[in-house]
Amino acid sequence: MSIKQEDMNYIYEHLSKVEREKLKDTTVLITGCGGFLGYYFMNFFQTFEQELGIKKVIALDNFMLGNPKWIDVMRKNPLFDIRKFDIITDQISDIPESCEADYIIHMASIASPMFYRQYPIETLDANIWGLRSLLDFYKKRDIKGFLFFSSSELYGDPSPENIPTNEEYRGNVSATGPRACYDESKRFGETMCGLFARKYGMSIGVARPFNNYGPGMKINDKRVPADFAKAVYEGKDITILSSGTPTRTFCYIADSITGYLKVLLYGKYDSFNIGIDKPEISIKELADIYTAAGKEIFGYEGKVIYNISEDKEYLTHNPERRCPDITKAKEKLHYEPSIEVEEGIRRFLLFIKENSEGEFLW
C-alpha cells in the first residue's frame, strides 16, 4: 500500500463515526485547493467519496505558485468542480453552485515565509478581503461549518513561560516586520471570524497550525522540512541557515488534516491549536533525522553544513521556540496526534521516492 493510501486510511479511522456522518450529502467549498494542505484534503475526499457520501467539492485556487499535475488528474473526477479563482478579486456569487455549500474551508493564502514576503499584499488581501467576502456571502446561509486557517505565527516569539503555548496567549508580534503581512492578517482574520460568529451565529472553526510537513509539500516550498527533503532527494548536503538551535514540534500531515477536519465538523465557534506537542527538537536535530532517514531510503551520503542566507531578513522575528499546548483540542475534539517526527520524515521521504516520476510535481 502506498504512503498516501495509508495516510488516507489513518485520517478516516481517526475521525469518529459521528464526524464522518456529518459529511453525508454535503457540498464542500475549498479555497486554496492547489496547495500542500489541499493535496491531502482533495485526496481524502476522493478516496472516501462513497463512504462519506459527499455530493460535491467545489475547489478554488488562483494557481499563483503553479498548477500541479495532480490537479489535472482530479479534474477527471465528477466529484470535483475545480476552478481558477482569485479569492481577492473574483466574486464567489459568480459560481452558481457556491450557494449550495454546506462546509467552507478557507485556506487561500501563501504560507511559506519566503513566498509571502515576496507577495505581501496578496497574502494580506487573501486573509482579510478574501475572508470577508466569504463571510459576507455565507453569513445568512444555512451552512454547517466554516473553517478558517489562521496560524501559530500569530503568537510571534512567545516568552518562555508561555511555552507550550495555549490558545489564550495573546502573542508577541511585530505589526510592521517582514512577517507582518502574514501574522497580522491572520490575527485580523480571527477578529472577523469572532465578530461574524457572534452576530450571525455562524459555526466558524479557527485552526492554528503548528509546523505541518509531509507528502503534498513541494520540495521547492522554501520551508525547512521541504529544504531538507530536497537536499536528500538531490543527494546534496543539508544546509542550515541559522545556528540550528531554534526548536519546533513538527506535525505530520495525516495528523494535521485529521485535526482540521475535526475543527470543521465541531459545529461551534472556537479556535484550536492543531499540531503535535512532542518532541520539541532543534533544527539541527531535525537535520540529523533527515540524514538518517535519507541514508536508509535513498542511500544518502550528504552531511549537515551551516551557512548564512543571502536574504537579510530571513531570520528577522523568527521565533526561538514553537511548541503548542493542544489540551483544548484533545478535550473538545478528541484530537490525538500520534505520528512522531522520525516516522513522519521517513514517510515523507518514502512518498518522494514513490512519486519522483509520478503524479506529484515539485
Side-chain angles (χ1 to χ4, degrees):
M1 186 183 298
S2 70
I3 291 294
K4 183 176 72 176
Q5 184 60 54
E6 288 178 1
D7 285 352
M8 295 301 113
N9 292 346
Y10 178 94
I11 296 166
Y12 185 83
E13 291 164 3
H14 282 76
L15 294 175
S16 69
K17 182 179 179 181
V18 171
E19 287 168 330
R20 296 195 295 259
E21 287 177 346
K22 287 182 178 181
L23 290 167
K24 187 175 181 180
D25 296 324
T26 62
T27 295
V28 180
L29 183 140
I30 304 176
T31 71
C33 69
F36 168 34
L37 301 180
Y39 179 73
Y40 258 50
F41 273 119
M42 299 279 279
N43 270 286
F44 178 71
F45 292 141
Q46 177 172 259
T47 301
F48 292 103
E49 176 182 353
Q50 298 301 319
E51 292 85 348
L52 296 173
I54 293 176
K55 289 192 299 186
K56 181 179 285 293
V57 176
I58 303 168
L60 312 177
D61 203 298
N62 64 3
F63 301 111
M64 179 180 175
L65 299 179
N67 187 351
K69 184 186 294 185
W70 60 264
I71 280 284
D72 293 331
V73 175
M74 288 192 170
R75 289 183 191 277
K76 300 173 184 177
N77 186 338
L79 172 68
F80 297 116
D81 179 3
I82 301 173
R83 301 182 182 221
K84 185 175 182 180
F85 184 91
D86 191 328
I87 193 64
I88 301 167
T89 58
D90 295 337
Q91 299 299 313
I92 196 73
S93 57
D94 289 341
I95 301 174
E97 297 87 351
S98 62
C99 62
E100 301 172 5
D102 301 287
Y103 290 104
I104 296 88
I105 300 173
H106 180 44
M107 54 185 181
S109 172
I110 300 170
S112 169
M114 188 68 72
F115 289 116
Y116 66 59
R117 287 190 290 111
Q118 289 180 26
Y119 304 101
I121 296 176
E122 292 87 347
T123 299
L124 182 148
D125 284 347
N127 286 316
I128 295 179
W129 300 117
L131 172 63
R132 177 63 191 269
S133 69
L134 289 172
L135 292 173
D136 277 335
F137 186 76
Y138 287 107
K139 65 187 178 185
K140 293 184 179 179
R141 287 180 163 82
D142 188 24
I143 62 171
K144 299 178 185 294
F146 188 113
L147 174 60
F148 173 58
F149 273 82
S150 182
S151 173
S152 57
E153 291 277 355
L154 93 170
Y155 296 126
D157 192 9
S159 53
E161 64 270 21
N162 286 294
I163 300 173
T165 308
N166 66 34
E167 290 86 351
E168 298 305 309
Y169 180 63
R170 296 182 181 181
N172 176 23
V173 182
S174 168
T176 57
R179 293 171 175 259
C181 64
Y182 186 76
D183 303 352
E184 293 293 72
S185 64
K186 292 295 190 183
R187 289 168 70 90
F188 187 57
E190 286 207 23
T191 300
M192 282 197 288
C193 287
L195 294 173
F196 274 77
R198 294 183 187 99
K199 183 170 183 178
Y200 298 103
M202 297 178 73
S203 299
I204 300 175
V206 175
R208 298 174 180 170
F210 277 75
N211 296 90
N212 299 170
Y213 71 97
M217 177 176 255
K218 295 180 181 180
I219 60 174
N220 62 0
D221 177 86
K222 302 296 184 182
R223 283 179 277 187
V224 165
D227 284 347
F228 291 0
K230 186 173 188 289
V232 169
Y233 176 69
E234 295 177 349
K236 298 178 180 178
D237 291 336
I238 290 175
T239 302
I240 296 178
L241 299 175
S242 71
S243 64
T245 58
T247 59
R248 303 283 188 271
T249 60
F250 293 91
C251 188
Y252 184 67
I253 183 64
D255 275 327
S256 303
I257 295 296
T258 301
Y260 302 142
L261 286 167
K262 286 179 175 290
V263 177
L264 173 69
L265 300 170
Y266 183 53
K268 302 175 186 177
Y269 167 67
D270 212 336
S271 57
F272 296 93
N273 290 339
I274 298 297
I276 196 166
D277 52 359
K278 61 181 182 179
E280 183 184 354
I281 62 171
S282 70
I283 300 302
K284 171 61 168 66
E285 289 174 304
L286 180 72
D288 290 340
I289 295 170
Y290 269 92
T291 300
K295 184 175 182 179
E296 172 198 342
I297 295 164
F298 288 103
Y300 179 65
E301 297 181 351
K303 58 183 182 298
V304 178
I305 62 175
Y306 294 82
N307 207 337
I308 297 174
S309 175
E310 295 178 359
D311 179 356
K312 294 181 180 179
E313 294 185 328
Y314 179 73
L315 295 176
T316 302
H317 301 152
N318 185 48
E320 280 300 308
R321 295 179 64 189
R322 181 166 290 144
C323 177
D325 180 338
I326 56 174
T327 302
K328 184 162 80 166
K330 287 182 176 181
E331 292 178 350
K332 290 189 174 184
L333 305 177
H334 306 291
Y335 173 58
E336 293 289 346
S338 63
I339 303 171
E340 294 195 5
V341 64
E342 290 86 356
E343 174 60 17
I345 289 170
R346 183 175 173 275
R347 297 183 70 78
F348 187 15
L349 294 180
L350 282 170
F351 172 84
I352 291 171
K353 186 174 184 179
E354 289 175 353
N355 291 274
S356 59
E357 295 181 0
E359 68 169 17
F360 193 71
L361 185 66
W362 319 133

mmCIF file of all heavy atoms in Angstrom, residues 8 30-45 57 59 61 70-71 74 80 105 107 149 215-216 253 257 260:
data_model
loop_
_atom_site.group_PDB
_atom_site.id
_atom_site.type_symbol
_atom_site.label_atom_id
_atom_site.label_comp_id
_atom_site.label_asym_id
_atom_site.label_seq_id
_atom_site.Cartn_x
_atom_site.Cartn_y
_atom_site.Cartn_z
ATOM 1 N N MET A 8 -4.430 8.266 4.054
ATOM 2 C CA MET A 8 -5.872 8.475 3.897
ATOM 3 C C MET A 8 -6.645 7.581 4.878
ATOM 4 O O MET A 8 -7.606 8.026 5.513
ATOM 5 C CB MET A 8 -6.305 8.166 2.458
ATOM 6 C CG MET A 8 -5.725 9.090 1.394
ATOM 7 S SD MET A 8 -6.126 10.823 1.619
ATOM 8 C CE MET A 8 -4.497 11.500 1.998
ATOM 9 N N ILE A 30 -13.724 24.618 -1.079
ATOM 10 C CA ILE A 30 -12.352 24.798 -0.601
ATOM 11 C C ILE A 30 -11.688 25.915 -1.387
ATOM 12 O O ILE A 30 -11.685 25.901 -2.624
ATOM 13 C CB ILE A 30 -11.521 23.507 -0.789
ATOM 14 C CG1 ILE A 30 -12.176 22.315 -0.105
ATOM 15 C CG2 ILE A 30 -10.104 23.709 -0.255
ATOM 16 C CD1 ILE A 30 -11.428 21.000 -0.342
ATOM 17 N N THR A 31 -11.098 26.882 -0.699
ATOM 18 C CA THR A 31 -10.249 27.870 -1.371
ATOM 19 C C THR A 31 -8.794 27.509 -1.102
ATOM 20 O O THR A 31 -8.454 27.033 -0.023
ATOM 21 C CB THR A 31 -10.521 29.296 -0.867
ATOM 22 O OG1 THR A 31 -10.024 29.445 0.472
ATOM 23 C CG2 THR A 31 -12.013 29.617 -0.898
ATOM 24 N N GLY A 32 -7.950 27.723 -2.095
ATOM 25 C CA GLY A 32 -6.546 27.325 -1.948
ATOM 26 C C GLY A 32 -6.355 25.841 -2.112
ATOM 27 O O GLY A 32 -5.486 25.233 -1.479
ATOM 28 N N CYS A 33 -7.144 25.237 -3.004
ATOM 29 C CA CYS A 33 -7.150 23.778 -3.138
ATOM 30 C C CYS A 33 -5.847 23.222 -3.706
ATOM 31 O O CYS A 33 -5.535 22.042 -3.525
ATOM 32 C CB CYS A 33 -8.310 23.335 -4.016
ATOM 33 S SG CYS A 33 -8.126 23.805 -5.763
ATOM 34 N N GLY A 34 -5.061 24.046 -4.404
ATOM 35 C CA GLY A 34 -3.889 23.533 -5.107
ATOM 36 C C GLY A 34 -2.621 23.488 -4.293
ATOM 37 O O GLY A 34 -1.562 23.152 -4.826
ATOM 38 N N GLY A 35 -2.697 23.804 -3.012
ATOM 39 C CA GLY A 35 -1.510 23.842 -2.174
ATOM 40 C C GLY A 35 -1.240 22.558 -1.427
ATOM 41 O O GLY A 35 -1.876 21.520 -1.667
ATOM 42 N N PHE A 36 -0.308 22.635 -0.495
ATOM 43 C CA PHE A 36 0.134 21.496 0.313
ATOM 44 C C PHE A 36 -1.030 20.830 1.024
ATOM 45 O O PHE A 36 -1.276 19.619 0.879
ATOM 46 C CB PHE A 36 1.189 22.015 1.294
ATOM 47 C CG PHE A 36 1.585 21.095 2.404
ATOM 48 C CD1 PHE A 36 1.638 19.723 2.233
ATOM 49 C CD2 PHE A 36 1.943 21.617 3.631
ATOM 50 C CE1 PHE A 36 2.029 18.875 3.265
ATOM 51 C CE2 PHE A 36 2.341 20.785 4.676
ATOM 52 C CZ PHE A 36 2.368 19.409 4.491
ATOM 53 N N LEU A 37 -1.789 21.593 1.802
ATOM 54 C CA LEU A 37 -2.909 21.014 2.545
ATOM 55 C C LEU A 37 -4.027 20.582 1.605
ATOM 56 O O LEU A 37 -4.687 19.570 1.835
ATOM 57 C CB LEU A 37 -3.431 22.019 3.569
ATOM 58 C CG LEU A 37 -2.419 22.509 4.607
ATOM 59 C CD1 LEU A 37 -3.078 23.500 5.568
ATOM 60 C CD2 LEU A 37 -1.814 21.352 5.387
ATOM 61 N N GLY A 38 -4.224 21.354 0.537
ATOM 62 C CA GLY A 38 -5.249 20.993 -0.434
ATOM 63 C C GLY A 38 -5.031 19.620 -1.025
ATOM 64 O O GLY A 38 -5.988 18.893 -1.307
ATOM 65 N N TYR A 39 -3.776 19.264 -1.228
ATOM 66 C CA TYR A 39 -3.451 17.954 -1.781
ATOM 67 C C TYR A 39 -4.047 16.831 -0.929
ATOM 68 O O TYR A 39 -4.625 15.864 -1.458
ATOM 69 C CB TYR A 39 -1.932 17.804 -1.867
ATOM 70 C CG TYR A 39 -1.465 16.473 -2.406
ATOM 71 C CD1 TYR A 39 -1.594 16.167 -3.758
ATOM 72 C CD2 TYR A 39 -0.877 15.520 -1.571
ATOM 73 C CE1 TYR A 39 -1.167 14.949 -4.260
ATOM 74 C CE2 TYR A 39 -0.444 14.302 -2.066
ATOM 75 C CZ TYR A 39 -0.587 14.019 -3.404
ATOM 76 O OH TYR A 39 -0.162 12.814 -3.892
ATOM 77 N N TYR A 40 -3.934 16.973 0.395
ATOM 78 C CA TYR A 40 -4.460 15.917 1.264
ATOM 79 C C TYR A 40 -5.965 16.009 1.446
ATOM 80 O O TYR A 40 -6.653 14.985 1.492
ATOM 81 C CB TYR A 40 -3.715 15.920 2.597
ATOM 82 C CG TYR A 40 -2.687 14.817 2.651
ATOM 83 C CD1 TYR A 40 -1.783 14.650 1.602
ATOM 84 C CD2 TYR A 40 -2.610 13.926 3.716
ATOM 85 C CE1 TYR A 40 -0.846 13.635 1.620
ATOM 86 C CE2 TYR A 40 -1.665 12.907 3.743
ATOM 87 C CZ TYR A 40 -0.792 12.760 2.696
ATOM 88 O OH TYR A 40 0.137 11.742 2.706
ATOM 89 N N PHE A 41 -6.515 17.211 1.557
ATOM 90 C CA PHE A 41 -7.971 17.339 1.624
ATOM 91 C C PHE A 41 -8.620 16.730 0.379
ATOM 92 O O PHE A 41 -9.561 15.935 0.480
ATOM 93 C CB PHE A 41 -8.373 18.815 1.711
ATOM 94 C CG PHE A 41 -8.416 19.368 3.105
ATOM 95 C CD1 PHE A 41 -7.592 20.419 3.469
ATOM 96 C CD2 PHE A 41 -9.289 18.855 4.054
ATOM 97 C CE1 PHE A 41 -7.624 20.951 4.755
ATOM 98 C CE2 PHE A 41 -9.335 19.375 5.346
ATOM 99 C CZ PHE A 41 -8.502 20.425 5.695
ATOM 100 N N MET A 42 -8.119 17.086 -0.782
ATOM 101 C CA MET A 42 -8.706 16.616 -2.035
ATOM 102 C C MET A 42 -8.569 15.105 -2.178
ATOM 103 O O MET A 42 -9.507 14.410 -2.584
ATOM 104 C CB MET A 42 -8.053 17.329 -3.211
ATOM 105 C CG MET A 42 -8.240 18.844 -3.209
ATOM 106 S SD MET A 42 -9.819 19.374 -3.854
ATOM 107 C CE MET A 42 -9.484 19.278 -5.620
ATOM 108 N N ASN A 43 -7.420 14.585 -1.835
ATOM 109 C CA ASN A 43 -7.227 13.139 -1.913
ATOM 110 C C ASN A 43 -8.103 12.399 -0.911
ATOM 111 O O ASN A 43 -8.612 11.309 -1.205
ATOM 112 C CB ASN A 43 -5.755 12.789 -1.698
ATOM 113 C CG ASN A 43 -4.968 12.771 -2.992
ATOM 114 O OD1 ASN A 43 -5.092 11.856 -3.799
ATOM 115 N ND2 ASN A 43 -4.159 13.804 -3.200
ATOM 116 N N PHE A 44 -8.285 12.979 0.265
ATOM 117 C CA PHE A 44 -9.140 12.334 1.270
ATOM 118 C C PHE A 44 -10.581 12.270 0.776
ATOM 119 O O PHE A 44 -11.226 11.208 0.851
ATOM 120 C CB PHE A 44 -9.059 13.092 2.595
ATOM 121 C CG PHE A 44 -9.959 12.519 3.662
ATOM 122 C CD1 PHE A 44 -9.663 11.297 4.243
ATOM 123 C CD2 PHE A 44 -11.109 13.184 4.052
ATOM 124 C CE1 PHE A 44 -10.498 10.751 5.220
ATOM 125 C CE2 PHE A 44 -11.945 12.659 5.023
ATOM 126 C CZ PHE A 44 -11.633 11.436 5.610
ATOM 127 N N PHE A 45 -11.088 13.382 0.262
ATOM 128 C CA PHE A 45 -12.469 13.380 -0.217
ATOM 129 C C PHE A 45 -12.637 12.439 -1.409
ATOM 130 O O PHE A 45 -13.677 11.796 -1.558
ATOM 131 C CB PHE A 45 -12.891 14.801 -0.604
ATOM 132 C CG PHE A 45 -13.015 15.734 0.579
ATOM 133 C CD1 PHE A 45 -12.602 17.050 0.491
ATOM 134 C CD2 PHE A 45 -13.539 15.293 1.781
ATOM 135 C CE1 PHE A 45 -12.723 17.917 1.561
ATOM 136 C CE2 PHE A 45 -13.671 16.143 2.875
ATOM 137 C CZ PHE A 45 -13.245 17.459 2.763
ATOM 138 N N VAL A 57 -17.425 18.671 -4.339
ATOM 139 C CA VAL A 57 -16.365 19.505 -3.783
ATOM 140 C C VAL A 57 -16.068 20.608 -4.804
ATOM 141 O O VAL A 57 -15.646 20.320 -5.930
ATOM 142 C CB VAL A 57 -15.080 18.701 -3.485
ATOM 143 C CG1 VAL A 57 -13.969 19.639 -2.988
ATOM 144 C CG2 VAL A 57 -15.355 17.610 -2.454
ATOM 145 N N ALA A 59 -13.679 23.348 -5.695
ATOM 146 C CA ALA A 59 -12.278 23.575 -5.339
ATOM 147 C C ALA A 59 -11.723 24.770 -6.109
ATOM 148 O O ALA A 59 -11.692 24.753 -7.351
ATOM 149 C CB ALA A 59 -11.457 22.319 -5.621
ATOM 150 N N ASP A 61 -8.724 27.934 -6.666
ATOM 151 C CA ASP A 61 -7.344 28.367 -6.460
ATOM 152 C C ASP A 61 -6.982 29.318 -7.594
ATOM 153 O O ASP A 61 -7.458 29.146 -8.718
ATOM 154 C CB ASP A 61 -6.391 27.161 -6.453
ATOM 155 C CG ASP A 61 -5.091 27.446 -5.723
ATOM 156 O OD1 ASP A 61 -4.346 28.344 -6.177
ATOM 157 O OD2 ASP A 61 -4.800 26.777 -4.724
ATOM 158 N N TRP A 70 -1.201 16.928 -10.225
ATOM 159 C CA TRP A 70 -2.262 16.130 -9.604
ATOM 160 C C TRP A 70 -3.636 16.796 -9.729
ATOM 161 O O TRP A 70 -4.664 16.109 -9.742
ATOM 162 C CB TRP A 70 -1.933 15.808 -8.150
ATOM 163 C CG TRP A 70 -1.760 16.988 -7.241
ATOM 164 C CD1 TRP A 70 -0.590 17.597 -6.891
ATOM 165 C CD2 TRP A 70 -2.796 17.694 -6.536
ATOM 166 N NE1 TRP A 70 -0.813 18.639 -6.026
ATOM 167 C CE2 TRP A 70 -2.163 18.721 -5.787
ATOM 168 C CE3 TRP A 70 -4.177 17.561 -6.449
ATOM 169 C CZ2 TRP A 70 -2.874 19.600 -4.974
ATOM 170 C CZ3 TRP A 70 -4.890 18.439 -5.642
ATOM 171 C CH2 TRP A 70 -4.238 19.443 -4.916
ATOM 172 N N ILE A 71 -3.656 18.118 -9.838
ATOM 173 C CA ILE A 71 -4.924 18.821 -10.029
ATOM 174 C C ILE A 71 -5.558 18.402 -11.353
ATOM 175 O O ILE A 71 -6.776 18.175 -11.445
ATOM 176 C CB ILE A 71 -4.709 20.350 -9.994
ATOM 177 C CG1 ILE A 71 -4.603 20.836 -8.544
ATOM 178 C CG2 ILE A 71 -5.834 21.086 -10.711
ATOM 179 C CD1 ILE A 71 -5.922 20.912 -7.797
ATOM 180 N N MET A 74 -7.256 15.130 -11.002
ATOM 181 C CA MET A 74 -8.515 15.173 -10.258
ATOM 182 C C MET A 74 -9.649 15.829 -11.042
ATOM 183 O O MET A 74 -10.824 15.601 -10.737
ATOM 184 C CB MET A 74 -8.311 15.893 -8.929
ATOM 185 C CG MET A 74 -7.507 15.071 -7.933
ATOM 186 S SD MET A 74 -7.544 15.754 -6.278
ATOM 187 C CE MET A 74 -6.774 14.397 -5.363
ATOM 188 N N PHE A 80 -15.397 16.609 -8.281
ATOM 189 C CA PHE A 80 -14.757 17.912 -8.137
ATOM 190 C C PHE A 80 -15.198 18.896 -9.214
ATOM 191 O O PHE A 80 -15.274 18.563 -10.400
ATOM 192 C CB PHE A 80 -13.229 17.761 -8.213
ATOM 193 C CG PHE A 80 -12.650 16.927 -7.114
ATOM 194 C CD1 PHE A 80 -12.010 15.721 -7.406
ATOM 195 C CD2 PHE A 80 -12.722 17.330 -5.792
ATOM 196 C CE1 PHE A 80 -11.472 14.937 -6.399
ATOM 197 C CE2 PHE A 80 -12.194 16.560 -4.782
ATOM 198 C CZ PHE A 80 -11.562 15.357 -5.074
ATOM 199 N N ILE A 105 -14.003 25.665 3.551
ATOM 200 C CA ILE A 105 -12.633 25.575 4.057
ATOM 201 C C ILE A 105 -11.837 26.683 3.387
ATOM 202 O O ILE A 105 -11.566 26.622 2.189
ATOM 203 C CB ILE A 105 -12.005 24.201 3.747
ATOM 204 C CG1 ILE A 105 -12.826 23.073 4.388
ATOM 205 C CG2 ILE A 105 -10.557 24.151 4.228
ATOM 206 C CD1 ILE A 105 -12.368 21.672 3.986
ATOM 207 N N MET A 107 -8.484 28.394 2.991
ATOM 208 C CA MET A 107 -7.041 28.315 3.235
ATOM 209 C C MET A 107 -6.256 28.958 2.091
ATOM 210 O O MET A 107 -5.076 28.654 1.893
ATOM 211 C CB MET A 107 -6.606 26.868 3.447
ATOM 212 C CG MET A 107 -6.990 25.914 2.356
ATOM 213 S SD MET A 107 -6.542 24.215 2.797
ATOM 214 C CE MET A 107 -7.083 23.354 1.328
ATOM 215 N N PHE A 149 -8.265 29.019 8.242
ATOM 216 C CA PHE A 149 -6.890 28.680 8.584
ATOM 217 C C PHE A 149 -6.165 29.924 9.068
ATOM 218 O O PHE A 149 -5.803 30.794 8.295
ATOM 219 C CB PHE A 149 -6.169 28.071 7.376
ATOM 220 C CG PHE A 149 -6.376 26.596 7.271
ATOM 221 C CD1 PHE A 149 -7.527 26.095 6.702
ATOM 222 C CD2 PHE A 149 -5.440 25.717 7.776
ATOM 223 C CE1 PHE A 149 -7.739 24.729 6.628
ATOM 224 C CE2 PHE A 149 -5.642 24.349 7.710
ATOM 225 C CZ PHE A 149 -6.797 23.856 7.138
ATOM 226 N N PRO A 215 3.973 14.534 2.793
ATOM 227 C CA PRO A 215 3.555 14.410 1.401
ATOM 228 C C PRO A 215 2.598 15.534 1.001
ATOM 229 O O PRO A 215 1.728 15.933 1.776
ATOM 230 C CB PRO A 215 2.855 13.051 1.369
ATOM 231 C CG PRO A 215 3.520 12.274 2.464
ATOM 232 C CD PRO A 215 3.798 13.276 3.543
ATOM 233 N N GLY A 216 2.780 16.018 -0.210
ATOM 234 C CA GLY A 216 1.985 17.147 -0.687
ATOM 235 C C GLY A 216 2.739 18.455 -0.600
ATOM 236 O O GLY A 216 2.399 19.426 -1.279
ATOM 237 N N ILE A 253 1.453 15.481 8.225
ATOM 238 C CA ILE A 253 0.270 15.925 7.511
ATOM 239 C C ILE A 253 -0.992 15.111 7.833
ATOM 240 O O ILE A 253 -2.091 15.667 7.933
ATOM 241 C CB ILE A 253 0.537 15.934 5.986
ATOM 242 C CG1 ILE A 253 -0.664 16.471 5.204
ATOM 243 C CG2 ILE A 253 0.953 14.562 5.484
ATOM 244 C CD1 ILE A 253 -0.995 17.910 5.475
ATOM 245 N N ILE A 257 -4.336 17.049 9.038
ATOM 246 C CA ILE A 257 -5.626 17.041 8.331
ATOM 247 C C ILE A 257 -6.723 16.470 9.226
ATOM 248 O O ILE A 257 -7.865 16.963 9.225
ATOM 249 C CB ILE A 257 -5.523 16.249 7.012
ATOM 250 C CG1 ILE A 257 -4.564 16.948 6.047
ATOM 251 C CG2 ILE A 257 -6.904 16.093 6.375
ATOM 252 C CD1 ILE A 257 -5.005 18.317 5.577
ATOM 253 N N TYR A 260 -7.763 19.316 11.404
ATOM 254 C CA TYR A 260 -8.516 20.357 10.706
ATOM 255 C C TYR A 260 -9.946 19.913 10.422
ATOM 256 O O TYR A 260 -10.893 20.709 10.528
ATOM 257 C CB TYR A 260 -7.818 20.728 9.391
ATOM 258 C CG TYR A 260 -6.404 21.206 9.581
ATOM 259 C CD1 TYR A 260 -5.396 20.868 8.677
ATOM 260 C CD2 TYR A 260 -6.049 21.982 10.689
ATOM 261 C CE1 TYR A 260 -4.097 21.298 8.862
ATOM 262 C CE2 TYR A 260 -4.743 22.406 10.879
ATOM 263 C CZ TYR A 260 -3.771 22.053 9.960
ATOM 264 O OH TYR A 260 -2.481 22.466 10.145
#
